[in-house]
Amino acid sequence: MKELLQSKSPLVMGILNTTPDSFSDGGSYVRKDIALRRIETMIEEGVDIIDVGGESTRPGAQAVSESEELVRVIPMVEAVVAAGKPVSIDTSKALVMQEAIRAGASMINDVRALQEEGALDAVAASDEVLICLMHMQGQPRSMQHNPHYDDVVTEVKSFLQQRVEVCQKVGINSDRICLDPGFGFGKTLQHNCELMKHLDSFKELNLPLLVGVSRKTMIGNILDADVNNRTNGSVVAAMYALTKGAKIVRVHDIKPTVEAVKLFCAFEQAK
């Protein structure tokens, strides 16, 4: 599993939300047969990792019970594993983490950075599963209610460094960790733009960066585009993140992003 984070080339993480209320594709993949076809399409389009989520983290989203989340995500985790692709589970719940790891998940993608009860122990209990620690100010239902920072870049880096140290203390080695600044999670448009501009400063943390800006409100605000017309902006933002040192880009639109990454790599590797 650690080989994923050690890959020399950038990785494309595809989003598979099995939720009725996610901001972009909510309701699209609730039915198992449709979700399974989506997995096949993502693999055909060249995805490197598939990120399965069963609870929306959009602003104002409603909480989901452990049992409901498990019903939504575990069959999808098993399907991706059976298809031979690495799978990430987008959750903050310890029980969901444990069951996903048991089903073969390669990564835990936690917007709460293992701060929920039992989450840290769930990841520490595995010798191999990777963890993505994300920064979020506040909670999903209220995080966009007037977020404030004195210095957003410094504060986000400081939080992530603290969470890395907590992980290391319980035996989660740094070679299993990647970091996500949390674009759109308790941040204004200005905060998001500052983070993107100074993304390269996160290199001082010496850990791979995951960036997820696909179809987000920040792109809609800049382009004055609704959520169904943000593909071009999402691809450009992902490529800008790569120029700033991102290792993984988390996206809805697999094919155009994979093609853009191939071009990026060809240019970067030229003599």
Side-chain angles (χ1 to χ4, degrees):
M1 296 182 188
K2 296 174 184 177
E3 295 78 26
L4 273 176
L5 299 184
Q6 296 166 358
S7 169
K8 293 182 179 180
S9 300
L11 302 175
V12 176
M13 174 184 277
I15 299 167
L16 181 69
N17 287 320
T18 61
T19 56
D21 57 346
S22 291
F23 81 94
S24 175
D25 54 0
S28 298
Y29 308 113
V30 172
R31 279 178 46 186
K32 184 177 179 180
D33 59 333
I34 296 176
L36 292 174
R37 285 201 295 272
R38 178 59 181 159
I39 289 170
E40 293 176 358
T41 300
M42 294 167 90
I43 293 173
E44 290 170 359
E45 292 179 345
V47 74
D48 296 301
I49 313 169
I50 295 179
D51 190 46
V52 176
E55 180 176 16
S56 175
T57 51
R58 66 174 176 80
Q62 296 301 306
V64 174
S65 69
E66 283 182 341
S67 58
E68 177 63 23
E69 190 171 340
L70 286 168
V71 167
R72 291 177 180 181
V73 301
I74 297 304
M76 296 301 105
V77 171
E78 293 172 342
V80 178
V81 171
K85 276 293 175 183
V87 58
S88 167
I89 180 71
D90 182 358
T91 188
S92 296
K93 297 184 178 71
L95 180 60
V96 178
M97 293 177 187
Q98 291 168 349
E99 293 302 316
I101 292 169
R102 189 172 290 116
S106 299
M107 179 185 287
I108 305 297
N109 182 17
D110 185 5
V111 300
R112 295 178 175 85
L114 299 183
Q115 294 182 96
E116 293 296 292
E117 183 178 357
L120 194 64
D121 292 336
V123 174
S126 168
D127 293 328
E128 294 188 354
V129 73
L130 307 177
I131 174 66
C132 181
L133 303 170
M134 196 196 81
H135 174 275
M136 174 172 59
Q137 187 180 92
Q139 295 295 325
R141 280 169 286 285
S142 59
M143 63 187 177
Q144 289 306 105
H145 295 172
N146 195 33
H148 172 78
Y149 302 85
D150 293 324
D151 183 330
V152 65
V153 176
T154 298
E155 291 174 45
V156 170
K157 280 196 291 187
S158 176
F159 169 83
L160 292 174
Q161 180 60 48
Q162 290 170 10
R163 295 310 299 164
V164 169
E165 292 170 0
V166 169
C167 286
Q168 291 172 331
K169 287 179 181 177
V170 297
I172 303 172
N173 294 332
S174 58
D175 60 358
R176 294 168 53 191
I177 301 173
C178 65
L179 306 175
D180 182 349
F183 288 93
F185 284 80
K187 298 169 184 76
T188 65
L189 176 58
Q190 182 61 35
H191 294 145
N192 289 321
C193 289
E194 288 179 28
L195 277 173
M196 188 66 83
K197 180 178 180 180
H198 299 288
L199 197 63
D200 51 356
S201 72
F202 283 77
K203 292 177 183 178
E204 65 189 44
L205 298 179
N206 295 312
L207 290 171
L209 279 181
L210 184 154
V211 169
V213 293
S214 179
R215 300 184 186 174
K216 286 189 174 178
T217 300
M218 60 180 283
I219 292 172
N221 286 344
I222 293 170
L223 300 180
D224 190 23
D226 65 34
V227 73
N228 297 312
N229 291 288
R230 298 176 186 171
T231 298
N232 292 341
S234 298
V235 173
V236 171
M239 293 308 100
Y240 185 85
L242 293 187
T243 69
K244 290 288 189 173
K247 183 69 173 180
I248 305 172
V249 288
R250 182 177 181 273
V251 304
H252 297 86
D253 304 291
I254 310 301
K255 186 176 180 180
T257 308
V258 168
E259 290 177 347
V261 169
K262 285 181 179 178
L263 287 169
F264 175 87
C265 291
F267 299 153
E268 284 290 296
Q269 294 165 8
K271 293 182 180 179

